[in-house]
Amino acid sequence: MAVGLHDFPRIPEIKGVRIGVAEAGIKKPNKKDVVIFELCEGASVAGVFTKNAFCAAPVRICQQNLTTTASRYLLINTGNANAGTGKSGITTALATCESLASKVGVDAAAILPFSTGVIGEPLPVDKIIAAIPAALDNLSADNWHSAGIGIMTTDTLPKGSVRSFDFEGRTYTIAGISKGAGMIRPNMATMLGYVCSDIAMEVDLLQQILKDVVNQSFNRITIDSDTSTNDSCIAVATGMAGNDKVTSMEDPLAQAFIATFTEVMQELAHAIVRDGEGATKFVTVEVAGAIEQGDATKVAFEIAHSPLVKTALFASDPNWGRILAVVGRAGVDNLDVDRVQLHINGFEIARDGGRSPDYLEEHGKQAMAPQEIHIVVDLGMGQATDTVWTTDFSHEYVTINAEYRT
Amino acid sequence: MAVGLHDFPRIPEIKGVRIGVAEAGIKKPNKKDVVIFELCEGASVAGVFTKNAFCAAPVRICQQNLTTTASRYLLINTGNANAGTGKSGITTALATCESLASKVGVDAAAILPFSTGVIGEPLPVDKIIAAIPAALDNLSADNWHSAGIGIMTTDTLPKGSVRSFDFEGRTYTIAGISKGAGMIRPNMATMLGYVCSDIAMEVDLLQQILKDVVNQSFNRITIDSDTSTNDSCIAVATGMAGNDKVTSMEDPLAQAFIATFTEVMQELAHAIVRDGEGATKFVTVEVAGAIEQGDATKVAFEIAHSPLVKTALFASDPNWGRILAVVGRAGVDNLDVDRVQLHINGFEIARDGGRSPDYLEEHGKQAMAPQEIHIVVDLGMGQATDTVWTTDFSHEYVTINAEYRT
């Protein structure tokens, strides 16, 4: 039921990156459930991770390894999240890293492990280790599509994005994949996003840029308000494009990179929403006229999380009173409801605390009919704005999540 | 689909209270959609109301009238919430109060108006005014059941509670009705609760007791996290029992009253949850071991609001990892996940940050099978606790809310 999600793009070689996939048989048969990224020596690797205190074992290991050792491999499995697994979760994740490290001759701390799937079950470490040789044999610069499929769980389609930009005679490419369709309310990143570029960039700068751009992309989407235990987003700069290493945010090349990187990251984030569990709508919630951005963010997320708003969106029902009710309960200090305005897909719905004088039910129906819905709430208080992307709430969502484990 | 909701009780006369119902034809045919409470002169009346900034016009009028004039009548309509109606909402609500006031010979400020139903549509003021004479003709001490039915919207059953207690040779009775099944996450009270007693009690004390007890009853339930624009809870002490007016919290009679009043208020609040839209489970979420009660409250509500937890409850699926994931994202400072314990219906599910050593999937299935589910999370940090009551999330919820207006 993905909403307006385009086909997986043709992703060219990103020099310095090879990808291999293999079948470990973790949860579903005939599923390539192990994915390995091989990164060239000297690549800069940055990562952001969930802020959930019950974060998964691999998240803890990634956070530590990134601070100690240059990363050379990403080792990803689906079908098991290795979260809520206590101390043995760490042991099993480390065992997979050590197995891969010994086969490729790097330090185990040069491996970043990632898991996604059911929470609370022991990681089937033997199955994963057994699949590593096949994934290594499969390494190729041309495996982005397979990797996109490999990291899927309840996703219905693989999600990829690629952009190039030219700067002073050189062409740079940025490509990425993402997954996720439920338990999506990223708080730092989403499970899982991997974006690679051939640009040469100092790792601290890449980390800063990743953190900033995540806040305009993955950290602004929500499907069901449930922040995952495994959210991870990784950015890689292989340095193979041949430029002098970018070291400063003021470098014009950094700015050019950020612009294109943001496009890729937003496309990947939006792809997760478009393929949200049970989604029939792609909804942009824009809140303007706040005094502080934090207020705009809060109101936008409250609207995006409201089960009543989401079920009305599912029904294409212009039950806009539910949106105003959320604005009223969102906790904005000194909100003057008489100044609030609401537009949906360009139609003015409410103003002065009530229905617009020109509003007709027919307008509401027209506004709510399309698959793509753009809600704009103006609080009428200040200049700050923020935007969040979400989905509706359908029977299919209940079905998927009531039957996920069975 | 109400869960374990008992039949409406036989409520005896509460001296000083008469109730009348009538059919105004606001939204549905053959529905007594106007209810009037007549209160004796000298009755103490206290009220708590929604904190939603988009609160309905009648809520604003109630708040004002309670501060200026002794209330003599409650005028309630269903089918239209008179919320999101701007300034004209106030005008129409006042018009209904004035009409009733002129017919019964009291000041219009002695009327408390209440509305519930669709948000954002103009109040059909003429229909309500036309129904007032019939409701007055119907006034009787024996109409509690009719009133319980009269205030229903998406409720499937009327909700009532009655208790008596003896104190120093006198018997006191407390009776109440409530309604609500969706847009339920009360923040001060729920739409709508009316509780009357024959006790004589000073109005400020009654207000304080109402506020305290609401925090252990209506303010601890949630169905879908959406705080209504119309939440209102009214307590009436008619004084007809003949006691000397209670004026202090230290009075032993006040303490006896609070104990029984709390039972009535909790029964009415639980009744709303048991009849929650699409509910198939009645779920008690108890969080213990917090350093501050606010943390326990926050974690309990986050669990109660999680769509993933609620859909797992609907499926009777022991997908307890989702509960731990919510605990982890709830924002408790310095949470040590290795000290968290989880019990469901008496079964130890998780400890030390992971699955209990003795846990079997069979235990989880047994724990989740009943209609009544008791979740206990121990944070292992301190002594503070709180409890919240909620429901699961079913297909029926989506159906009800996707079709509510049509």
Side-chain angles (χ1 to χ4, degrees):
Chain A
M1 321 184 39
V3 182
L5 186 60
H6 61 62
D7 289 343
F8 197 90
R10 161 92 192 92
I11 297 184
E13 176 178 9
I14 305 291
K15 277 183 192 156
V17 179
R18 293 198 305 162
I19 303 172
V21 302
E23 185 179 331
I26 295 170
K27 185 158 172 263
K28 288 181 191 160
N30 305 316
K31 156 93 177 148
K32 308 278 195 211
D33 45 13
V34 167
V35 178
I36 292 177
F37 278 69
E38 180 194 65
L39 312 175
C40 63
E41 214 162 335
S44 293
V45 180
V48 289
F49 299 92
T50 181
K51 285 191 170 163
N52 193 313
F54 264 102
C55 68
V59 167
R60 290 172 198 267
I61 294 170
C62 280
Q63 286 169 318
Q64 183 169 336
N65 288 357
L66 277 169
T67 62
T68 63
T69 311
S71 305
R72 292 293 311 284
Y73 289 86
L74 315 180
L75 172 58
I76 310 158
N77 74 269
T78 62
N80 183 301
N82 198 6
T85 44
K87 289 186 179 61
S88 72
I90 299 283
T91 312
T92 52
L94 285 176
T96 63
C97 292
E98 277 153 17
S99 171
L100 172 56
S102 70
K103 288 188 177 62
V104 294
V106 302
D107 193 285
I111 316 287
L112 299 181
F114 305 87
S115 296
T116 179
V118 178
I119 298 172
E121 293 182 6
L123 189 73
V125 57
D126 296 339
K127 288 182 178 176
I128 293 171
I129 287 175
I132 287 175
L136 290 174
D137 286 346
N138 185 246
L139 284 174
S140 148
D142 197 33
N143 258 340
W144 284 92
H145 186 232
S146 302
I149 294 171
I151 64 173
M152 288 165 60
T153 52
T154 55
D155 309 61
T156 70
L157 290 168
K159 299 161 184 71
S161 176
V162 61
R163 294 277 193 293
S164 292
F165 67 99
D166 295 321
F167 187 85
E168 292 181 355
R170 253 196 201 90
T171 298
Y172 301 85
T173 303
I174 306 175
I177 56 173
S178 63
K179 65 83 44 177
M183 199 178 266
I184 298 290
R185 197 302 196 199
N187 185 3
M188 274 322 285
T190 190
M191 177 65 182
L192 302 165
Y194 302 95
V195 180
C196 300
S197 174
D198 46 10
I199 197 169
M201 181 175 282
E202 195 258 327
V203 66
D204 288 349
L205 179 62
L206 184 65
Q207 179 71 39
Q208 182 59 47
I209 290 173
L210 176 63
K211 198 176 154 196
D212 291 349
V213 174
V214 156
N215 275 332
Q216 301 167 54
S217 53
F218 290 114
N219 278 6
R220 287 298 179 276
I221 64 172
T222 183
I223 289 172
D224 49 15
S225 78
D226 274 303
T227 303
S228 157
T229 47
N230 292 53
D231 292 343
S232 306
C233 185
I234 297 294
V236 175
T238 66
M240 292 296 193
N243 61 299
D244 292 339
K245 199 172 258 198
V246 185
T247 59
S248 155
M249 202 70 94
E250 277 71 51
D251 188 328
L253 176 52
Q255 294 303 314
F257 174 79
I258 288 170
T260 304
F261 185 61
T262 303
E263 285 182 25
V264 170
M265 291 279 281
Q266 288 191 340
E267 184 172 4
L268 291 173
H270 292 181
I272 287 176
V273 176
R274 291 183 184 283
D275 197 21
E277 286 173 350
T280 73
K281 303 270 184 182
F282 178 80
V283 185
T284 303
V285 182
E286 183 182 340
V287 176
I291 290 172
E292 294 177 10
Q293 198 198 1
D295 280 338
T297 314
K298 185 164 61 176
V299 173
F301 270 115
E302 290 289 337
I303 293 170
H305 290 156
S306 162
L308 289 176
V309 172
K310 291 169 100 76
T311 46
L313 284 162
F314 170 53
S316 300
D317 177 11
N319 199 336
W320 52 269
R322 293 179 180 176
I323 298 174
L324 293 194
V326 175
V327 174
R329 73 164 161 85
V332 176
D333 288 337
N334 303 315
L335 178 70
D336 178 358
V337 299
D338 289 341
R339 303 184 69 169
V340 173
Q341 292 188 30
L342 171 65
H343 287 76
I344 301 177
N345 279 6
F347 290 93
E348 182 182 279
I349 308 286
R351 64 184 309 162
D352 306 334
R355 198 159 72 178
S356 292
D358 303 335
Y359 177 83
L360 296 173
E361 180 77 6
E362 200 44 45
H363 298 164
K365 281 190 181 147
Q366 247 177 289
M368 293 288 277
Q371 283 195 333
E372 312 258 337
I373 303 287
H374 191 157
I375 297 170
V376 183
V377 173
D378 191 326
L379 302 178
M381 303 172 78
Q383 301 302 318
T385 68
D386 206 354
T387 298
V388 158
W389 296 277
T390 191
T391 58
D392 57 333
F393 219 150
S394 68
H395 285 293
E396 188 69 12
Y397 179 90
V398 177
T399 301
I400 291 167
N401 283 298
E403 296 170 4
Y404 178 48
R405 297 198 335 152
T406 54
Chain B
M1 319 182 41
V3 182
L5 187 60
H6 60 64
D7 288 343
F8 196 90
R10 161 90 193 93
I11 296 183
E13 174 177 10
I14 305 290
K15 277 185 192 155
V17 179
R18 293 199 304 161
I19 303 172
V21 301
E23 184 178 332
I26 295 170
K27 185 159 173 260
K28 290 181 189 161
N30 304 316
K31 156 93 177 148
K32 307 276 194 212
D33 46 12
V34 167
V35 177
I36 292 177
F37 278 69
E38 180 195 65
L39 312 176
C40 63
E41 213 163 334
S44 293
V45 180
V48 290
F49 300 91
T50 182
K51 285 191 170 163
N52 192 312
F54 263 102
C55 69
V59 167
R60 290 172 199 266
I61 295 170
C62 280
Q63 286 169 319
Q64 182 170 336
N65 288 357
L66 277 169
T67 62
T68 64
T69 311
S71 305
R72 292 294 310 285
Y73 289 87
L74 315 180
L75 172 58
I76 310 159
N77 75 270
T78 62
N80 184 301
N82 197 8
T85 44
K87 289 186 180 61
S88 73
I90 299 283
T91 312
T92 52
L94 285 176
T96 63
C97 292
E98 279 152 16
S99 171
L100 172 55
S102 70
K103 287 187 177 61
V104 294
V106 303
D107 193 286
I111 316 286
L112 300 180
F114 305 86
S115 296
T116 179
V118 179
I119 298 173
E121 292 181 7
L123 188 74
V125 58
D126 295 340
K127 288 182 177 177
I128 294 170
I129 287 175
I132 287 174
L136 290 173
D137 285 346
N138 185 246
L139 284 173
S140 149
D142 197 33
N143 259 340
W144 284 92
H145 186 234
S146 302
I149 294 170
I151 63 174
M152 288 166 59
T153 53
T154 55
D155 309 63
T156 70
L157 290 168
K159 299 161 184 70
S161 176
V162 61
R163 294 277 192 293
S164 291
F165 67 100
D166 295 320
F167 188 86
E168 293 181 354
R170 252 196 202 90
T171 298
Y172 300 85
T173 304
I174 306 175
I177 55 173
S178 63
K179 64 84 43 177
M183 199 178 268
I184 297 291
R185 196 302 196 200
N187 185 2
M188 275 322 286
T190 190
M191 178 64 180
L192 301 165
Y194 302 96
V195 181
C196 299
S197 173
D198 45 11
I199 196 169
M201 182 174 282
E202 195 258 329
V203 67
D204 289 350
L205 179 62
L206 185 64
Q207 180 71 40
Q208 183 59 47
I209 290 174
L210 175 63
K211 199 176 154 195
D212 291 349
V213 174
V214 156
N215 276 331
Q216 302 167 54
S217 53
F218 290 115
N219 278 6
R220 288 296 180 279
I221 64 172
T222 183
I223 289 171
D224 49 15
S225 78
D226 275 302
T227 303
S228 158
T229 48
N230 293 53
D231 290 345
S232 305
C233 184
I234 297 293
V236 175
T238 66
M240 292 296 194
N243 61 300
D244 292 339
K245 199 173 259 198
V246 186
T247 59
S248 155
M249 202 70 94
E250 277 70 51
D251 188 329
L253 176 51
Q255 294 302 315
F257 175 79
I258 289 171
T260 304
F261 185 62
T262 302
E263 284 182 26
V264 170
M265 291 280 280
Q266 287 191 340
E267 184 171 4
L268 291 172
H270 292 182
I272 286 176
V273 176
R274 292 183 184 283
D275 197 22
E277 287 173 350
T280 74
K281 303 269 185 185
F282 177 80
V283 186
T284 303
V285 183
E286 183 182 341
V287 176
I291 290 172
E292 294 177 11
Q293 198 197 0
D295 280 338
T297 315
K298 184 164 61 176
V299 173
F301 271 115
E302 290 290 337
I303 293 170
H305 289 156
S306 161
L308 290 176
V309 172
K310 291 170 101 74
T311 46
L313 284 162
F314 171 54
S316 299
D317 177 12
N319 199 336
W320 51 270
R322 293 179 180 177
I323 298 175
L324 294 193
V326 175
V327 174
R329 73 164 161 84
V332 176
D333 288 337
N334 304 314
L335 178 71
D336 178 358
V337 299
D338 289 342
R339 304 184 68 170
V340 173
Q341 292 187 29
L342 171 65
H343 287 76
I344 301 178
N345 279 4
F347 290 93
E348 181 182 279
I349 308 286
R351 63 184 310 163
D352 306 334
R355 198 158 73 177
S356 292
D358 303 334
Y359 177 83
L360 295 172
E361 181 77 6
E362 199 44 44
H363 298 163
K365 282 190 180 146
Q366 247 178 288
M368 294 288 278
Q371 283 195 334
E372 311 260 337
I373 303 286
H374 191 158
I375 297 170
V376 182
V377 173
D378 191 326
L379 302 178
M381 303 172 79
Q383 302 302 319
T385 68
D386 206 355
T387 299
V388 158
W389 297 277
T390 192
T391 58
D392 58 331
F393 219 151
S394 68
H395 285 293
E396 188 68 12
Y397 180 89
V398 177
T399 300
I400 290 166
N401 284 298
E403 294 171 6
Y404 178 49
R405 296 199 336 153
T406 51

